[in-house]
């Protein structure tokens, strides 16, 4: 039996800069995997297909599930399939902007590669990952990276910054395609779009490992279209800031938000407070 940990991602920086003819969006993002994670186990079995065991609330068990899509993409690239039973212990909130489904897909690719005696290098695994989703290539190895293109042009980055994150969510999930459509309307097709920010200062701060810069320069384009219609996310972000986060931001297309705290103790206190107020909140750190 093989176990894989599927780490969630936070976008410490995310700027959508254009739309491609195929409908996908060009972006610039600083991605960071964090210790908030799902766990997947993989057991070889008879047959020639991947099966997801048990019901995971809110997730389809058929081919629409990213785990099954990843397994099928792996089998296609490998040229043959084998029987595997997969169990998924879900912790990462779904439709939250935390890359949970993509992380599960990436974990599946890693596991099947191990089960098949590693026919694919990490580069090839990332190519297979891209056929499953735009965030999946980064999540094959995770860590800290500047991601461009639709997320697949990955430049690893250093992160020596300390501190802990509180990831918090309350209310309805967000549909990523709808969030992109709202940005398209806001930026009228990105004609003549001029970058509003750039990630250089953040990357420098992470590389220097300044233990929580006074104002880590975080940015997310999606906040402009999601926060106005998600009062819960807006309120959570404000609460994080009011309770000592040195910075707070929505992750991905939301509605999960995260706060960056100087110490794990402080993060723990704030997470407990948010849970008492009815939110889901998790303390985690960069991995
Ligand atoms: O690639 P993934 O399936 O995770 O993306 C979900 C949806 O988000 C896509 O169907 C697409 O509509 C949108 N998307 C995009 N540009 C990206 C990433 C995702 O338009 N770079």
């Amino acid at each position: 039996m093989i176990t894989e940990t599927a780490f969630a991602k936070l976008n410490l920086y995310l700027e959508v800069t254009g739309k491609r003819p195929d409908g996908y969006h060009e972006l610039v993002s600083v991605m960071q995997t964090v210790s908030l994670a799902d766990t997947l186990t993989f057991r070889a079995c008879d047959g020639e297909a991947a099966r997801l065991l048990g019901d995971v609330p809110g997730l389809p068990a058929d081919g629409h599930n990213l785990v099954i899509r990843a397994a099928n993409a792996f089998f296609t690239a490998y040229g043959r399939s084998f029987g595997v039973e997969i169990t998924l212990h879900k912790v990462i909130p779904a439709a939250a902007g935390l890359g949970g489904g993509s992380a599960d897909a990436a974990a599946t690719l890693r596991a099947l590669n191990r089960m098949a005696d590693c026919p694919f290098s990490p580069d090839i695994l990332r190519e297979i990952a891209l056929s499953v989703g735009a965030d999946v290539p980064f999540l094959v190895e995770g860590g800290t990276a500047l991601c461009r293109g639709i997320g697949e042009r990955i430049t690893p980055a250093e992160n020596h910054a300390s501190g802990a994150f509180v990831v918090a969510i309350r209310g309805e999930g967000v549909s990523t395609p709808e969030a992109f459509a709202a940005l398209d309307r806001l930026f009228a097709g990105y004609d003549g779009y001029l970058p509003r920010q750039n990630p250089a200062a953040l990357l420098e701060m992470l590389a220097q490992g300044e233990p929580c810069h006074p104002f880590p320069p975080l940015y997310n384009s999606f906040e402009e279209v999601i926060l106005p219609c998600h009062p819960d996310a807006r309120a959570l972000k404000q609460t994080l800031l009011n309770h000592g986060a040195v910075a707070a931001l929505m992750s991905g297309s939301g509605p999960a938000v995260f706060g960056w705290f100087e110490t794990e103790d402080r993060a723990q206190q704030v997470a407990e407070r948010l849970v008492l107020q009815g939110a889901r909140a998790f303390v985690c750190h960069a991995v």
Side-chain angles (χ1 to χ4, degrees), residues 94-190:
L98 300 169
S102 300
D104 297 340
T108 301
L109 294 177
R110 291 195 302 270
L112 297 191
N113 200 39
R114 281 166 67 192
M115 291 175 87
D117 282 334
C118 299
F120 299 124
S121 65
D123 275 351
I124 302 290
L125 219 49
R126 279 190 284 269
E127 271 178 38
I128 302 168
L130 183 58
S131 71
V132 184
D135 285 345
V136 188
F138 163 73
L139 289 163
V140 167
E141 287 196 13
T144 313
L146 174 64
C147 300
R148 283 172 292 193
I150 64 166
E152 86 292 7
R153 282 173 44 212
I154 301 165
T155 310
E158 298 284 317
N159 183 0
H160 301 291
S162 57
F165 297 107
V166 173
V167 174
I169 182 166
R170 184 163 44 204
E172 292 284 293
V174 166
S175 147
T176 302
E178 282 172 24
F180 274 106
L183 270 187
D184 292 349
R185 290 191 293 276
L186 179 67
F187 293 123
Y190 309 92

Side-chain angles (χ1 to χ4, degrees), residues 95 164 206 221-222:
L206 295 175
S221 308
F222 283 110

